[in-house]
Amino acid sequence: LGADRPGDIRILTRILRPSVGIVTSVGPSHLETFGTVRAVAEEKWNLVRDLPADAPAFVNADSPELARLAAAAGRPRLVTAGLETGDVRGRVVSAVPRLALELDDPPLRLATALVGRQNATNLLLAALCALELGVGPRAIEERAASFRPVARRMEPRAARFGVVLDDVYNANLASMSAALHALAEFETSSLRVAVLGDMLGLGDAAPALHEELARLALSLSVDLVYPVGERAEAAFGATGDRRVLRMERGEIAADVVARLADASDAVVLVKGSRGVRLETIADEILRRSPADGA
């Protein structure tokens, strides 16, 4: 279920009548309509509120707002899970180039085609839900290995110079942070490049959140940043950092490919809100530098 304004979740639960619930995360998204992250959490928690009293629910305990709501819920079949806290905890064995997660009870090793530790709690919650529904541990491991990333959501796409992390479906500060940390974890890469677009729908908080994004990106092991959009260009341009390359969006793909002409293990993250349409840049990069044999 998804929401971009108060009341959306309850409309959907009335239609769908779910009998099991998973609440994956809460972040600073849709602040133009919700106002605060706490309001976003309260909206998402309506999924749990609208479940039957004895229905199972699985909640991300690493989210402070969700952990607060879970502690006050008083539900008999509510399970919290996370990497740092919760009733059940998973361990990230590797985050890049592919995510692998371990669980002690029951013993599970979930090796996936996903990229980045930001997917680990989702994977853990899905596995716990599957166990509750009677799926065996070995079947869960097999299904985790067979799952492929959803298009445009941290999707690794092979290029001649290495890989493009295509994450252009949407963006807020939390997902931007997760994607940038994943990019920075590619420690053996010759070059780590980020093409970062505006985060939309943030209301009055937009300037401050874009400034925070710029500080974060430039504090990590990112070699080059191409900002796209009015907010991103203003925030990154104000830093004066030499790693920030400002140019017309129609020139970015050619510039990226030219700089990576001799690379074989470079990583390029392309991420921004849906309205910025960064898929045009991601696709152009891959058109100019297709993987061998593509």
Side-chain angles (χ1 to χ4, degrees):
L1 310 184
D4 64 10
R5 65 195 65 247
D8 281 356
I9 295 294
R10 290 219 129 132
I11 291 172
L12 294 169
T13 59
R14 284 199 297 270
I15 295 169
L16 298 170
R17 307 256 180 216
S19 56
V20 180
I22 300 175
V23 188
T24 57
S25 64
V26 172
S29 60
H30 304 299
L31 296 183
E32 200 166 33
T33 51
F34 283 106
T36 66
V37 173
R38 176 160 288 200
V40 174
E42 290 288 343
E43 176 66 22
K44 291 193 174 188
W45 199 255
N46 282 331
L47 169 58
V48 178
R49 292 188 180 103
D50 290 351
L51 290 172
D54 61 347
F58 304 88
V59 178
N60 178 358
D62 290 339
S63 165
E65 291 292 350
L66 293 179
R68 174 184 62 82
L69 289 164
R75 294 184 64 91
R77 297 180 68 190
L78 189 150
V79 177
T80 60
L83 304 179
E84 305 296 333
T85 186
D87 303 320
V88 181
R89 301 184 193 182
R91 288 189 307 280
V92 173
V93 178
S94 66
V96 299
R98 299 291 182 266
L99 173 66
L101 180 71
E102 286 186 345
L103 180 62
D104 289 335
D105 186 20
L108 284 174
R109 182 182 174 90
L110 305 174
T112 77
L114 298 167
V115 181
R117 66 183 61 241
Q118 73 274 12
N119 289 303
T121 305
N122 290 348
L123 181 62
L124 176 60
L125 292 165
L128 294 174
C129 183
L131 287 167
E132 172 69 23
L133 296 176
V135 183
R138 300 294 76 78
I140 292 172
E141 290 178 337
E142 291 169 3
R143 295 300 177 89
S146 71
F147 180 77
R148 293 295 174 264
V150 176
R152 310 286 191 186
R153 294 195 181 203
M154 208 62 172
E155 178 189 9
R157 302 174 68 187
R160 185 176 295 128
F161 56 72
V163 66
V164 172
L165 298 178
D166 185 341
D167 198 11
V168 304
Y169 181 82
N170 221 334
N172 59 46
L173 186 60
S175 66
M176 279 284 203
S177 174
L180 284 164
H181 277 93
L183 175 65
E185 285 197 68
F186 281 84
E187 295 179 351
T188 60
S189 295
S190 57
L191 207 61
R192 286 157 291 198
V193 178
V195 181
L196 302 178
D198 281 358
M199 302 178 293
L200 304 179
L202 299 179
D204 293 341
L209 290 174
H210 282 86
E211 290 167 9
E212 190 172 344
L213 170 65
R215 287 193 296 270
L216 170 67
L218 297 173
S219 72
L220 297 172
S221 300
V222 178
D223 299 295
L224 297 172
V225 177
Y226 295 81
V228 183
E230 181 180 348
R231 295 289 192 192
E233 289 178 9
F236 279 95
T239 67
D241 195 294
R242 293 184 178 180
R243 290 172 291 170
V244 176
L245 303 177
R246 300 177 67 188
M247 61 188 65
E248 295 295 323
R249 65 177 291 154
E251 301 172 355
I252 291 174
D255 195 75
V256 168
V257 171
R259 290 175 184 272
L260 303 183
D262 298 325
S264 61
D265 62 348
V267 183
V268 178
L269 168 68
V270 186
K271 183 167 179 63
S273 281
R274 188 72 193 89
V276 188
R277 300 188 64 246
L278 290 187
E279 67 272 13
T280 59
I281 295 178
D283 290 347
E284 179 66 9
I285 290 171
L286 290 160
R287 189 189 70 78
R288 289 174 174 271
S289 184
D292 292 337

